[in-house]
Amino acid sequence: MNIHVLHEFTELARSLNFTETAKSLNITQSALSKHILALEKEFDTELFDRSRHGVRLSGAGQLLFEKSVAIVSIYQEAHDELRTFRAQPPITVGGNISDSDIAPLLSMTATIMRENRRRTLNFNDSSERNFIQMINSGKIDVAVSFIVRSKIEEAGLEYRPLFSLPLVAIMSTNNP
């Protein structure tokens, strides 16, 4: 089934007029009729009762109309969200990947941000340690770092702890 044909069906079901619907969809009445017949063939049922008095939805047509409104709406919603997503610039996360403490944090940050923000991430592996300056200059959007909170606040920036629970390393008491 083609989503555009389903959209045409929902519009026709609303107006119950082939001529008006074809005109509003900017297609020929013949094309609309062919699409509806193909849909009826696909579902092996008549979707409209056609008579000399006009067109009305059949019982099967009413059922498909109720479902198709939701399908077309969800499709349009997804289409709009994807357009918005593509228009968003990626978030650049900075840190020093060679620093053994920061690399796992960057990985976790990427996971968290992808799940919660639905944004593309770029990593800026930098030996530069002045992440506040990098944020203020626009080189990065987010820095993952161990830094004194007062420096962040003095710079007028915000911070979010990555963990609500303490991050600990667990080992045997016999391990030096």
Side-chain angles (χ1 to χ4, degrees):
M1 174 183 358
N2 182 316
I3 191 72
H4 300 294
V5 171
L6 198 58
H7 172 68
E8 292 170 6
F9 166 77
T10 59
E11 293 303 309
L12 179 58
R14 285 185 177 115
S15 76
L16 297 175
N17 184 307
F18 276 86
T19 304
E20 287 177 13
T21 302
K23 187 175 181 179
S24 73
L25 294 171
N26 201 27
I27 60 174
T28 65
Q29 184 175 341
S30 172
L32 177 61
S33 294
K34 286 178 186 176
H35 295 163
I36 297 303
L37 287 173
L39 203 55
E40 289 177 327
K41 185 176 180 179
E42 180 178 341
F43 288 110
D44 193 27
T45 189
E46 288 188 5
L47 300 172
F48 293 95
D49 294 326
R50 298 163 179 89
S51 72
R52 60 187 175 140
H53 301 292
V55 177
R56 66 183 185 95
L57 280 172
S58 67
Q62 183 62 43
L63 177 65
L64 181 60
F65 175 69
E66 290 168 8
K67 301 297 180 183
S68 68
V69 167
I71 292 167
V72 170
S73 175
I74 290 169
Y75 172 84
Q76 189 60 48
E77 201 175 288
H79 191 271
D80 293 344
E81 286 181 25
L82 287 169
R83 183 182 307 118
T84 301
F85 177 81
R86 286 190 315 267
Q88 292 177 339
I91 295 171
T92 302
V93 179
N96 186 339
I97 306 277
S98 63
D99 184 330
S100 61
D101 294 327
I102 298 300
L105 292 176
L106 283 172
S107 177
M108 288 186 298
T109 303
T111 301
I112 292 166
M113 292 179 84
R114 281 189 186 116
E115 288 175 1
N116 294 319
R117 304 270 190 224
R118 296 183 181 168
R119 298 276 299 269
T120 304
L121 294 177
N122 291 332
F123 291 101
N124 182 339
D125 181 15
S126 175
S127 59
E128 186 177 335
R129 294 290 185 157
N130 191 339
F131 294 115
I132 291 174
Q133 183 180 4
M134 291 177 74
I135 289 173
N136 286 334
S137 69
K139 288 182 181 176
I140 61 174
D141 299 302
V142 176
V144 179
S145 179
F146 296 106
I147 189 168
V148 178
R149 290 180 180 178
S150 62
K151 287 185 179 183
I152 298 169
E153 292 166 351
E154 286 172 12
L157 300 173
E158 294 185 28
Y159 63 88
R160 299 286 185 271
L162 291 176
F163 307 102
S164 58
L165 299 173
L167 177 66
V168 298
I170 302 171
M171 65 199 83
S172 164
T173 54
N174 297 332
N175 189 336

